[in-house]
Amino acid sequence: YHWKVTDAGLPDGEGGLYLDGPDLARIGLLALRDGMWSGRRVLPEGWVAQATARQVEQVNTAGWGYGFQWWRLDRGETIIWAGLGFGGQFLLVFPQHDVVAVANSWNLFGGSQSGVLGPLIAAVVASLESGVACRASRPERIGAASTASGIPNPSVISSAIGRSSWQHLLAR
């Protein structure tokens, strides 16, 4: 990871945290586990439920909700918690399905890649609805998406988002 610092030499707490796919997915997994990591409580019990609840409704014309730095991008009955970072860092958590999806779609030298979030959500939701969600046998060891047989399977996501590279899709 990289966390830029202010002119005073302090971490830029309003932004500037750059995470790779596995690190970003770990945040999603921490949220899925209500703040537990490897059997240890890292966040107060119930805080994730508060943080991901719709504290503000209808913040835009798409009907998104907003919690404590978490967006709610629900599609029908599918609940989606989203961490949306500058430059195309997308962390999507599907708590009903125990799934985390991550994409880093920013080209540092060419700006952000547009048109990634919608197709990424559509691909994951379609995968979940069809029952072909990718699975990782040990989510604590975050790695590339795979089928139940353990064979890497990026096609579900990569075909939907085109040039941007998919990173991770995890399930229990």
Side-chain angles (χ1 to χ4, degrees):
Y1 73 92
H2 171 74
W3 202 327
K4 72 178 185 178
V5 295
T6 65
D7 291 340
L10 301 170
D12 183 356
E14 103 35 77
L17 176 60
Y18 300 90
L19 299 174
D20 63 12
D23 288 337
L24 195 53
R26 285 182 181 95
I27 292 172
L29 188 59
L30 181 66
L32 269 178
R33 304 295 182 250
D34 187 33
M36 296 290 291
W37 191 262
S38 297
R40 197 172 120 236
R41 179 148 300 283
V42 179
L43 298 171
E45 186 173 353
W47 184 86
V48 172
Q50 280 188 301
T52 57
R54 288 175 170 261
Q55 304 294 333
V56 180
E57 294 283 349
Q58 306 290 325
V59 294
N60 62 13
T61 57
W64 294 6
Y66 197 63
F68 307 154
Q69 298 295 314
W70 284 95
W71 293 94
R72 285 292 298 270
L73 310 182
D74 305 350
R75 297 293 189 271
E77 298 297 315
T78 302
I79 296 170
I80 305 170
W81 307 334
L84 307 178
F86 175 75
Q89 293 184 49
F90 302 121
L91 166 59
L92 303 174
V93 180
F94 300 81
Q96 296 156 297
H97 302 282
D98 206 32
V99 170
V100 171
V102 168
N104 280 326
S105 57
W106 186 18
N107 174 350
L108 285 172
F109 304 105
S112 65
Q113 174 69 39
S114 62
V116 174
L117 182 60
L120 176 62
I121 291 171
V124 174
V125 169
S127 177
L128 294 170
E129 288 174 353
S130 69
V132 229
C134 300
R135 302 229 174 248
S137 59
R138 295 187 57 197
E140 287 77 14
R141 295 184 61 199
I142 300 198
S146 62
T147 63
S149 65
I151 300 167
N153 181 9
S155 60
V156 173
I157 305 301
S158 62
S159 64
I161 62 175
R163 294 186 319 161
S164 295
S165 64
W166 66 277
Q167 291 282 335
H168 300 274
L169 176 62
L170 302 176
R172 61 176 152 221

